[in-house]
């Protein structure tokens, strides 16, 4: 099975892939990103928050709790699966299994009509999120096997940029061909929605689930066909026992490798803020300004265009200056952007220090406050690709190929260990105060703390031979 999924090219340690294998690996991000772009952030999530729930505050709270539940499951199981994968060898069978779960859950979102059970819909979304993140653990752990360390930052950022391009293409398709105005019954380009979708029943937003599933099923195939997988295979029972034993040893080991431990703590905190901002930011804007699916989609397209070019630039910057500099700059920009969006509301920005009035010029984003929100959002677009792609490269440069699976499992744990905390805080503060703005403001704390810890973390976090890193320079 493993050889079939590897295209018959299992790899031995130290062997690197050719260009076709690298491009196949990069296509995973192209295939996976539409789920995060159109389901989590810009189409289905805002639809759920603003139209499925009784009011936006209740919708934001329910969506936040769903994200928190998924984050908890990912945090608990990612390091376990990473260690088991190191023992079984091949990663592709795991990716295939979780791909099936993700595809089925996404198709189920089609049935999320207004008035449907919020619990059932959140459960489907949570299952898709968990399956998506587990697939990413195994895909990320393949990076060291196929790319020389000198090229890791470049390839990682390019792959992330390809992902944003794929997500943007799907987003444009939904906005141009499916998302019709309830008033006119036509899309932004003046056509009737394909397949006769009814915007009053949210069918344009609900279709984002099956469309993302189809995109994923088709474009994940080059990775299976062309990217070589790890060789060797042990019986599952043996792999589970030895993987769990190795995980226990790894947790003890990472506490002795102070650089990696500090990096993982920093990532745990700032990635928590990234996850919450991406999952809740679109719904926050849609509820505050009353944006339609078309408007929130165009906002997403703008952010994705910026993200593509920022990843291309970061791929060179990472090679020249190192992953740490790229991550620090990105976190600082996300901190600034988050302060900006939570300080903006109808008629004002910067917590009212700059007042615009409520004049609406008509058309899309007709008020000055909306334009200010978009301006701050562009900083998110610039930063949220490089902060994740260069973090992946930071980790890959800090471990050896043989330990990649178990350490990328801990890396996923660090990205999700408290990932329920930021959405939980946003949801809880929102529910307690009745203010989505106050709830979103809690994300600022995560970026500030993560930035401070990473500033004092060595780069690479540890030498690949396991000895302490000595480069403490920023």
């Amino acid at each position: 099975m493993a050889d079939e999924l590897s295209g018959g090219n299992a790899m031995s340690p130290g062997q690197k892939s050719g260009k076709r294998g690298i491009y196949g690996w990069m296509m995973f991000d192209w295939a996976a990103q539409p789920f995060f772009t159109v389901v989590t952030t810009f189409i289905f999530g805002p639809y759920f928050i603003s139209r499925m729930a009784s009011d936006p505050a209740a919708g934001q709270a329910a969506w936040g709790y769903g994200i928190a539940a998924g984050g908890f499951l990912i945090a608990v199981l990612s390091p376990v699966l990473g260690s088991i994968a190191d023992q079984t060898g091949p990663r592709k069978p795991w990716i295939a299994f979780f791909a099936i779960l993700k595809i089925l859950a996404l198709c189920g979102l089609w049935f999320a009509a207004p008035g449907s059970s919020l619990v059932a819909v959140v459960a489907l979304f949570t299952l898709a999120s968990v399956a998506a993140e587990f697939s990413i653990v195994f895909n990320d752990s393949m990076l060291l096997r196929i790319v020389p360390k000198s090229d890791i930052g470049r390839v990682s950022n390019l792959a992330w940029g390809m992902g944003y391009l794929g997500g943007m293409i799907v987003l444009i398709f939904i906005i141009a061909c499916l998302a019709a105005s309830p008033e006119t019954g036509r899309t932004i380009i003046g056509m009737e929605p394909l397949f006769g979708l009814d915007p009053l029943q949210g069918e344009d937003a609900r279709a984002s689930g099956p469309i993302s599933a189809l995109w994923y099923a088709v474009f994940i195939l080059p990775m299976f066909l062309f990217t070589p997988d790890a060789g060797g295979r042990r019986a599952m029972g043996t792999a589970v026992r030895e993987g769990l034993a190795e995980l226990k040893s790894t947790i003890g080991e990472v506490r002795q490798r102070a650089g990696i431990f500090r990096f993982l703590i920093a990532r745990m905190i700032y990635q928590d803020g990234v996850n919450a901002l991406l999952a809740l930011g679109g719904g926050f804007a849609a509820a505050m300004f009353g944006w339609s699916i078309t408007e929130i989609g165009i906002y997403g397209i703008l952010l994705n265009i910026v993200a593509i070019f920022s990843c291309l630039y970061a791929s060179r910057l990472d090679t020249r200056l190192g992953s740490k500099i790229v991550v620090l700059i990105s976190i600082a920009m996300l901190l600034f952007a988050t302060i900006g969006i939570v300080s903006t509301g109808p008629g004002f920005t910067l917590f009212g220090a700059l007042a615009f009035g409520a004049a609406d010029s008509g058309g899309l984003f007709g008020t000055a406050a909306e334009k200010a929100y978009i301006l701050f959002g562009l900083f998110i677009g610039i930063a949220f690709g490089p902060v994740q792609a260069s973090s992946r490269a930071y980790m890959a440069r800090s471990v050896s190929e043989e330990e990649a699976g178990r350490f990328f499992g801990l890396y996923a744990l660090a990205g999700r260990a408290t990932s329920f905390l930021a959405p939980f805080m946003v949801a809880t503060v929102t529910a307690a105060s009745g203010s989505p703005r106050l709830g979103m403001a809690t994300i600022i704390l995560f970026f500030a703390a993560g930035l401070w810890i990473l500033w004092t973390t060595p780069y690479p976090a540890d030498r690949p031979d396991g000895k302490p890193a000595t480069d403490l320079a920023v």
Side-chain angles (χ1 to χ4, degrees):
M1 176 66 173
D3 286 343
E4 292 172 3
L5 290 172
S6 304
N9 295 315
M11 298 183 71
S12 58
Q15 180 184 358
K16 301 301 178 186
S17 174
K19 289 185 177 180
R20 190 169 68 164
I22 293 172
Y23 284 125
W25 181 85
M26 293 169 68
M27 285 296 292
F28 177 90
D29 281 354
W30 168 278
Q33 183 59 36
F35 164 69
F36 300 102
T37 300
V38 302
V39 175
T40 302
T41 307
F42 294 115
I43 299 294
F44 190 85
Y47 159 75
F48 179 94
I49 291 172
S50 62
R51 295 187 56 193
M52 283 199 67
S54 57
D55 64 83
Q60 181 168 295
W63 197 244
Y65 284 131
I67 296 168
F72 178 77
L73 291 174
I74 294 163
V76 171
L77 295 178
S78 289
V80 176
L81 292 175
S83 290
I84 292 173
D86 272 348
Q87 298 300 318
T88 58
R91 270 58 166 173
K92 291 183 184 179
W94 293 95
I95 296 175
F97 172 73
F98 288 115
I100 293 171
L101 290 183
K102 177 180 175 180
I103 289 168
L104 292 176
L106 287 176
C107 288
L109 295 181
W110 167 254
F111 301 101
S116 300
S117 167
L118 296 185
V119 174
V121 174
V122 168
L124 284 172
F125 169 75
T126 299
L127 177 60
S129 298
V130 170
E133 292 291 344
F134 286 161
S135 298
I136 290 170
V137 170
F138 297 113
N139 180 71
D140 285 355
S141 70
M142 295 171 68
L143 181 58
L144 272 172
R145 291 186 175 275
I146 63 173
V147 180
K149 287 204 171 187
S150 59
D151 287 335
I152 281 175
R154 180 178 64 84
V155 170
S156 183
N157 273 282
L158 288 175
W160 222 282
M162 285 179 59
Y164 286 129
L165 179 59
M168 186 179 69
I169 289 172
V170 175
L171 183 57
I172 291 174
F173 171 75
I174 292 175
I175 295 302
C177 302
L178 303 182
S181 166
E183 290 78 22
T184 65
R186 294 185 176 275
T187 71
I188 194 172
I189 61 173
M191 64 177 285
E192 294 184 358
L194 295 179
F195 317 119
L197 298 183
D198 183 0
L200 295 176
Q201 294 299 314
E203 291 180 349
D204 43 5
R206 290 154 52 192
S208 64
I211 290 171
S212 298
L214 178 62
W215 182 277
Y216 188 61
V218 171
F219 290 111
I220 201 175
L221 293 177
M223 185 273 294
F224 284 120
L225 295 174
F226 304 128
T227 303
D229 204 351
R233 187 174 181 86
R234 298 187 186 185
M236 183 57 68
T238 301
V240 169
R241 288 193 301 272
E242 295 186 2
L244 292 175
E246 183 184 60
L247 173 61
K248 182 178 179 181
S249 173
T250 302
I251 292 174
E253 178 185 349
V254 77
R255 296 181 66 181
Q256 304 302 316
R257 296 171 70 168
I260 288 183
F261 184 71
R262 192 171 184 84
F263 170 69
L264 291 176
I265 293 296
R267 182 178 185 266
M268 178 178 70
I269 296 171
Y270 69 71
Q271 186 63 39
D272 213 358
V274 172
N275 294 337
L277 187 59
L278 295 182
L280 299 169
F284 175 67
M288 177 168 57
F289 293 115
W291 284 353
S292 65
I293 287 179
T294 299
E295 288 171 309
I296 195 69
I298 292 174
Y299 173 66
I301 291 169
L302 292 173
L303 264 62
N304 275 270
I305 291 173
V306 172
I308 292 166
F309 287 103
S310 71
C311 284
L312 292 176
Y313 181 72
S315 70
R316 289 190 251 177
L317 197 64
D318 189 293
T319 301
R320 189 181 312 137
L321 300 179
S323 302
K324 180 176 180 178
I325 294 293
V326 175
V327 176
L328 286 171
I329 293 172
S330 299
I331 298 172
M333 294 181 71
L334 289 168
L335 176 61
F336 168 77
T338 305
I339 293 172
I341 65 172
V342 301
S343 71
T344 302
F348 66 89
T349 191
L350 300 179
F351 302 103
L354 185 58
F356 300 119
D360 191 331
S361 62
L364 298 174
F365 314 119
T367 69
E370 290 173 273
K371 293 180 177 65
Y373 191 99
I374 291 172
L375 179 62
F376 289 121
L378 292 179
F379 283 93
I380 299 174
I382 293 171
F384 69 19
V387 74
Q388 297 176 90
S390 287
S391 291
R392 177 167 64 182
Y394 198 136
M395 186 66 186
R397 287 192 172 108
S398 303
V399 298
S400 68
E401 180 179 317
E402 291 73 20
E403 62 189 8
R406 58 195 176 106
F407 274 96
F408 266 104
L410 290 177
Y411 176 80
L413 169 63
R416 287 293 183 176
T418 59
S419 65
F420 60 90
L421 184 57
F424 181 82
M425 286 180 64
V426 172
T428 300
V429 172
T430 300
S433 66
S435 170
R437 184 187 316 282
L438 193 57
M440 288 292 290
T442 60
I443 297 174
I444 294 171
L445 303 175
F446 292 86
F447 288 134
L451 181 66
W452 177 76
I453 296 173
L454 189 69
W455 183 271
T456 58
T457 300
Y459 175 73
D462 247 2
R463 285 165 39 181
D465 58 9
K467 294 181 181 179
T470 57
D471 179 14
L472 296 177
V474 173

